[in-house]
Every structure is written in structure tokens, then in C-alpha cells.
Amino acid sequence: MPSVPPTPSQARPPGFSPREFRDALGMFVTGITVVTLRAADGRLVGLTASSFNSVSLDPPLVLWSLAHSSSSMPALQAGSHYAINVLAADQRELALQFAARGVDRFAGVAFTEGVAGAPLLAGAAATFECFSRSRYDEGDHVIFVGEVERCSHRAGAAPLLYHGGRFYTERLLG
């Protein structure tokens, strides 16, 4: 009878470079979101994020992640609510604006205020107003789990997609 190797207590060191890892991750198509909130001091905070996913239907939970080094991290760690705005295909410029550094990310941006004060971007394909339920430190990022208090979507809106460092929109294959 063959012997079963022991279960390792930790992962083996990566057999690839950071560039190879990023390139491989880029092969997964993601949607683009802008996470927004109103900080305790009243400031509007927003950032582009592609790390968004559903977690649970009951209760309604979603997740996303942010680098520890992000300038938005203090506001997100202190805040109780945020909104996740799923961008539509015609919102590429918003994705770039909210990813830029050293600019007023809300300049010229149309939005309404959600029930907890987080900005809801006009024209978004979907919005999720979230209570910041939990956070998990993993590697160089924090994983945020939000409990969805309100959501809406724009029926028929085509999503903005990201793949291999480039933006796309959907194309129905069947």
C-alpha cells in the first residue's frame, strides 16, 4: 500500500516571479467597480477596484480587497458604510479617474447620496450599499466583507470589463 505524504503546514515558496503572477491573474476577466464612502470628516473617498465578488445570498454579503498601502485605507478602516458601484461599459473614464493619484477623483462626477452617505455614481450598472461587516488581513491586502443593505441595477446595462491590462465590453457569443 502506497504511503500518504504528510500534509504540509505551510505553502511551498512560489515557483514564479511577481510579473508572471500578475500576468496570469490578468487572464481572469473581471468587472470594474468604484468603491465610495463619505469619511467621518465629510470628505468623499473613492477608488477603482476589480476585486469584487459575491459571498452569500442569506445574509447578502459581498467582498472586495484593497492594498494596505492605499491612501484610502484609513477612511475605509474607520468607516461603517461604503458603496460598491459596478461600472457600465460607457464609464471607462470613471475607472481611470478613480484610479488616478493626486487628483480630485470626484471632480465632475455625478452622484446621489446613499442612505448611509456613500456616493452612488450616476449611470452605474449596479450599486451595492454596504455595512462594513468584517475585514481580514491577508498578505499585502485587506479583504473587506460588506453586508448589503440596499442594491439596485440598470436593466440592460453592458458592463465594463478588464482583461490583460485592457478594458473591454461584453459581446454575446450565443
Side-chain angles (χ1 to χ4, degrees):
M1 179 182 244
S3 65
V4 177
T7 303
S9 61
Q10 64 183 38
R12 292 176 188 85
F16 48 83
S17 71
R19 179 79 256 163
E20 289 171 311
F21 187 52
R22 287 183 68 89
D23 289 348
L25 289 172
M27 293 290 86
F28 185 70
V29 177
T30 66
I32 300 293
T33 69
V34 170
V35 178
T36 56
L37 71 143
R38 184 173 296 281
D41 62 5
R43 246 177 343 111
L44 295 178
V45 177
L47 60 112
T48 300
S50 61
S51 58
F52 170 72
N53 208 341
S54 62
V55 175
S56 169
L57 293 176
D58 186 20
L61 303 175
V62 294
L63 68 76
W64 65 283
S65 64
L66 181 65
H68 284 287
S69 60
S70 171
S71 62
S72 301
M73 185 61 78
L76 282 153
Q77 286 182 319
S80 64
H81 287 80
Y82 52 82
I84 299 171
N85 301 270
V86 178
L87 297 187
D90 60 351
Q91 294 181 307
R92 178 182 178 272
E93 293 309 313
L94 274 183
L96 296 171
Q97 183 168 331
F98 279 92
R101 295 172 194 246
V103 301
D104 175 1
R105 293 177 175 173
F106 283 90
V109 175
F111 65 89
T112 58
E113 199 166 285
V115 293
L120 306 177
L121 303 182
T127 58
F128 299 88
E129 295 180 68
C130 301
F131 168 72
S132 188
R133 181 179 169 125
S134 53
R135 296 184 290 269
Y136 301 95
D137 286 331
E138 290 295 338
D140 58 6
H141 276 62
V142 173
I143 300 165
F144 288 86
V145 177
E147 186 163 350
V148 180
E149 296 179 335
R150 304 243 181 322
C151 69
S152 65
H153 73 283
R154 193 163 49 105
L160 181 62
L161 305 175
Y162 195 70
H163 173 262
R166 296 173 64 188
F167 292 102
Y168 293 85
T169 188
E170 69 180 347
R171 193 167 122 208
L172 188 61
L173 297 179

